[in-house]
């Protein structure tokens, strides 16, 4: 039988243990809600082919980049489609199938760099408005020993905390579980690759902002990934910017904007992302609709030059069962349109050109190609404009609309979407614009802009 002293010790231990747990929970809850929210956090967006990207390869030609943009855009929509299909079947879709970073599938368009905990842990993540969680590889992880970069180790950090299972952030995740210490675990499934899983946690993140120097943001909620069959390399995770509570965009005030300039130029250095209250919400706006983890917009028409194309509005509408519609995306370069809209646009574009043309297809996507040189052979091309409800517009010049695939062929950067799948407005179509997301106000702002002006 246990002595009184032993029982007392046990009880004391229990009480101590409980109070430790309680304190941890309260601390975690408190620190999350009182985190300092910076007013304006400015980061460069590093295009994957830019000279500043770890994927930069000086042997690659513009044709290689064009080919990659095409393949990567298709991986991107395939990923979106897969997620949609799963959502139809069983609704447990929201956190599934995110960035398939290293499975030779989707790579993303822009990388964002910041530091976790201190300046010795730089992190390069893929910007994705279609993901919710900001996650990075953490020690311990199965393949971390072979990593080419230094991996963050939460056990050596005094600013790291686990997020409780009862936290609102944990509850905002669909694929979550609780461990024996009541800590929140997340799981992300990749299409065609291994899932990754880890702890939902908070930590200080340091952003080297161009205008305000180093800015430390304490208690950022993020995913610390311990299980992954990927070998961590220079690109270490995903920067989720959708409207879910756990996304960095939501944590930093539900507003963000990005400005995208000439993406074909590897030394163009003015693409940027602004998070927080100071995001640029300027220009005409259009309602921003959120559905299934993505941002949707109401496209009302497309014009070529002055001529409005004859496309029924239904081509752009999302049905009650969630099919179709048009999303604005940051994870792929090319755009996709419903069959009817695509054919009207392709016809009109063909008719303005005096060049041989044909359709090339890959999987079930199709694109229009021409024989010629895009800089030389289509001088005076009238330009294509997307018209959104509320009056916002996105204008695409020849440079945004076409890519030279080889010395004698150029193709349209808008492809035909698979039947029933959403249309996608890719990054290429957003070039030379500032795009502002007001998540709580449910508005998207579009303004034609030279991003270089934002740098001054
Ligand atoms: C439905 O969800 C479960 C897990 O949440 C998954 O195992 C299953 O494969 C899903 N069904 C389909 C058809 O995707
Ligand atoms: C976070 O949770 C993990 C798993 O339960 C545990 O091993 C680790 O020590 C915890 N870290 C802190 C700082 O509480
Ligand atoms: C297209 O024409 C421009 C201007 O003449 C030239 O500089 C460029 O090299 C040509 N591109 C190709 C792929 O031939």
């Amino acid at each position: 039988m246990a002595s009184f002293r032993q029982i007392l010790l046990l009880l004391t231990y229990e009480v101590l243990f409980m109070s430790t747990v309680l304190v941890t929970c309260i601390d975690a809850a408190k620190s999350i809600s009182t985190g300092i929210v910076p007013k304006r956090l400015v980061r460069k967006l590093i295009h994957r082919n830019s000279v500043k990207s770890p994927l930069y390869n000086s042997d690659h030609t513009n044709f290689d980049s064009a080919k990659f943009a095409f393949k990567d855009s298709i991986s991107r929509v395939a990923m979106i489609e897969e997620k949609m299909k799963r959502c139809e079947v069983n609704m447990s879709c929201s956190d599934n199938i995110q960035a398939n970073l290293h499975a030779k599938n989707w790579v993303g368009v822009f990388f964002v760099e910041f530091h976790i905990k201190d300046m010795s842990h730089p992190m390069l993540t893929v910007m994705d408005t279609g993901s919710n969680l900001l996650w990075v590889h953490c020690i311990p992880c199965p393949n971390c020993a072979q990593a080419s970069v230094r991996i963050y180790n939460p056990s050596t950090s005094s600013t790291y905390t686990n997020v409780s299972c009862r936290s609102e952030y944990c509850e905002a995740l669909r694929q979550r579980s609780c461990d024996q210490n009541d800590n929140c675990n997340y799981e992300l499934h990749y299409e065609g690759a291994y899932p990754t899983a880890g702890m939902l946690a908070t930590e200080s993140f340091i952003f080297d902002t161009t205008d305000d120097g180093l800015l430390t943001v304490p208690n950022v909620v993020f995913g610390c990934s311990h299980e992954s069959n990927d070998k961590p390399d220079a690109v270490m995770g995903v920067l989720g910017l959708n409207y879910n509570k756990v996304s960095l965009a939501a944590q930093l005030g539900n507003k963000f904007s990005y400005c995208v300039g000439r993406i074909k130029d590897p030394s163009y250095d003015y693409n940027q992302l602004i998070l927080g209250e100071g995001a640029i919400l300027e220009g005409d706006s259009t309602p921003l609709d959120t559905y299934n983890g993505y941002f949707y917009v109401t496209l009302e028409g497309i014009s070529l030059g002055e001529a409005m194309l004859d496309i029924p509005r239904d081509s752009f509408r999302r049905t009650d069962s969630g099919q179709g519609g048009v999303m604005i995306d940051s994870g792929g370069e090319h755009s996709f349109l419903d069959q009817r809209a695509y054919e009207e646009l392709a016809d009109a574009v063909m008719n303005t050109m005096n060049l041989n043309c044909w359709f090339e297809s890959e999987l079930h996507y199709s694109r229009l190609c021409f024989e010629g040189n895009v800089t030389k052979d289509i001088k005076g091309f009238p330009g294509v404009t997307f018209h959104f409800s509320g009056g916002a517009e996105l204008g695409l010049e020849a440079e945004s609309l076409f890519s030279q695939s080889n010395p004698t062929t150029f193709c349209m950067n808008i492809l035909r979407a698979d039947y029933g799948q959403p249309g996608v407005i890719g990054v290429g179509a957003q070039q030379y614009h500032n795009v502002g997301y007001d998540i709580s106000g449910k508005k998207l702002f579009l303004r034609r802009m030279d991003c270089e002006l934002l740098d001054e």
Side-chain angles (χ1 to χ4, degrees):
M1 220 174 94
S3 71
F4 175 70
R5 194 182 154 79
Q6 272 173 323
I7 290 172
L8 192 70
L9 266 177
L10 265 177
L11 276 176
T12 316
Y13 179 76
E14 279 264 274
V15 169
L16 271 178
F17 181 72
M18 278 182 62
S19 63
T20 318
V21 171
L22 270 178
V23 167
T24 319
C25 292
I26 292 166
D27 272 351
K30 203 172 75 192
S31 57
I32 291 173
S33 56
T34 57
I36 301 161
V37 177
K39 279 220 146 32
R40 191 177 127 91
L41 216 158
V42 186
R43 297 299 301 131
K44 290 266 185 217
L45 289 172
I46 303 163
H47 189 270
R48 59 172 178 242
N49 297 133
S50 101
V51 292
K52 297 211 167 147
S53 159
L55 305 188
Y56 176 72
N57 181 337
S58 55
D59 295 338
H60 280 180
T61 62
N62 281 343
F63 307 139
D64 294 323
S65 305
K67 195 168 173 184
F68 190 88
F70 178 57
K71 295 240 177 258
D72 192 58
S73 301
I74 285 182
S75 302
R76 174 67 175 174
V77 288
M79 189 173 119
I80 293 172
E81 289 185 6
E82 189 58 38
K83 183 161 147 183
M84 297 286 164
K85 257 186 239 154
R86 287 209 196 180
C87 295
E88 275 166 38
V89 179
N90 71 20
M91 300 313 289
S92 69
C93 49
S94 209
D95 303 310
N96 284 349
I97 318 161
Q98 291 203 358
N100 192 350
L101 284 181
H102 306 284
K104 286 168 204 68
N105 268 321
W106 180 66
V107 170
V109 182
F110 287 118
F111 304 145
V112 181
E113 195 190 53
F114 52 84
H115 290 78
I116 183 164
K117 188 184 122 194
D118 56 43
M119 292 309 282
S120 63
H121 296 91
M123 297 277 159
L124 203 59
T125 54
V126 182
M127 173 173 89
D128 184 9
T129 48
S131 294
N132 51 32
L133 193 63
L134 159 62
W135 69 264
V136 299
H137 285 286
C138 290
I139 288 175
C141 68
N143 299 309
C144 280
Q146 299 126 270
S148 56
V149 282
R150 193 164 163 208
I151 314 281
Y152 159 74
N153 185 350
S155 71
T156 62
S157 172
S158 60
T159 39
Y160 173 92
T161 59
N162 289 316
V163 167
S164 150
C165 238
R166 280 161 291 139
S167 139
E168 52 187 339
Y169 292 99
C170 189
E171 280 164 8
L173 297 171
R174 292 255 177 107
Q175 294 285 103
R176 62 173 191 268
S177 58
C178 298
D179 69 9
Q180 66 277 21
N181 300 326
D182 201 25
N183 293 323
C184 182
N185 290 256
Y186 67 87
E187 205 177 306
L188 302 171
H189 289 269
Y190 299 147
E191 204 38 44
Y194 300 103
T196 186
M199 310 286 303
L200 194 66
T202 67
E203 177 58 286
S204 290
F205 281 71
I206 303 166
F207 298 87
D208 186 1
T209 68
T210 33
D211 27 357
D212 300 321
L214 294 181
L215 198 65
T216 302
V217 185
N219 307 312
V220 172
V221 177
F222 77 110
C224 206
S225 182
H226 295 289
E227 280 171 47
S228 168
N229 277 51
D230 295 332
K231 185 164 82 58
D233 62 17
V235 183
M236 294 262 281
V238 173
L239 174 61
L241 288 178
N242 83 359
Y243 52 88
N244 185 297
K245 199 172 193 45
V246 296
S247 96
L248 190 63
Q251 291 182 60
L252 297 182
N254 274 308
K255 283 184 187 141
F256 67 95
S257 61
Y258 51 74
C259 190
V260 176
R262 187 175 154 73
I263 52 184
K264 275 175 200 142
D265 176 1
S267 45
Y268 184 83
D269 194 27
Y270 302 105
N271 300 314
Q272 68 167 36
L273 170 70
I274 305 178
L275 291 158
E277 210 38 56
I280 300 175
L281 305 181
E282 286 176 9
D284 291 322
S285 74
T286 185
L288 184 64
D289 183 19
T290 53
Y291 180 74
N292 258 345
Y294 293 99
F295 291 111
Y296 281 77
V297 282
T298 309
L299 184 57
E300 293 194 323
I302 300 177
S303 57
L304 177 67
E306 297 293 305
M308 193 59 96
L309 305 181
D310 179 24
I311 304 170
R313 293 231 173 143
D314 277 358
S315 288
F316 306 126
R317 236 196 59 215
R318 199 173 67 233
T319 63
D320 295 337
S321 60
Q323 293 208 309
V326 176
M327 58 173 68
I328 180 146
D329 188 40
S330 62
E333 253 169 61
H334 293 347
S335 300
F336 294 79
L337 286 174
D338 148 275
Q339 179 168 357
R340 173 73 199 268
Y342 173 80
E343 280 167 4
E344 285 291 335
L345 176 64
D347 266 356
V349 170
M350 274 190 279
N351 290 337
T352 60
M353 310 238 209
N354 241 337
L355 299 170
N356 285 335
C357 62
W358 62 93
F359 287 94
E360 274 180 7
S361 44
E362 169 106 10
L363 301 174
H364 19 252
Y365 310 100
S366 166
R367 75 191 305 207
L368 175 62
C369 295
F370 295 89
E371 193 178 303
N373 174 327
V374 73
T375 6
K376 215 171 60 193
D377 297 334
I378 55 165
K379 291 241 159 65
F381 179 78
V384 164
T385 306
F386 287 1
H387 303 265
F388 300 96
S389 90
E393 288 179 359
L394 208 52
L396 286 76
E397 257 87 88
E399 196 195 313
S400 306
L401 195 63
F402 305 106
S403 302
Q404 194 77 33
S405 311
N406 62 48
T408 55
T409 306
F410 68 89
C411 301
M412 196 156 83
N413 296 334
I414 298 177
L415 285 73
R416 190 189 67 207
D418 205 2
Y419 176 75
Q421 295 306 326
V424 176
I425 297 172
V427 171
Q430 300 169 53
Q431 282 181 100
Y432 310 108
H433 285 82
N434 185 79
V435 185
Y437 293 72
D438 178 359
I439 299 173
S440 28
K442 287 186 164 287
K443 275 193 173 144
L444 182 83
F445 293 80
L446 296 172
R447 172 174 228 168
R448 187 168 271 282
M449 200 180 277
D450 176 356
C451 307
E452 200 170 336
L453 297 175
L454 297 177
D455 230 42
E456 285 160 2

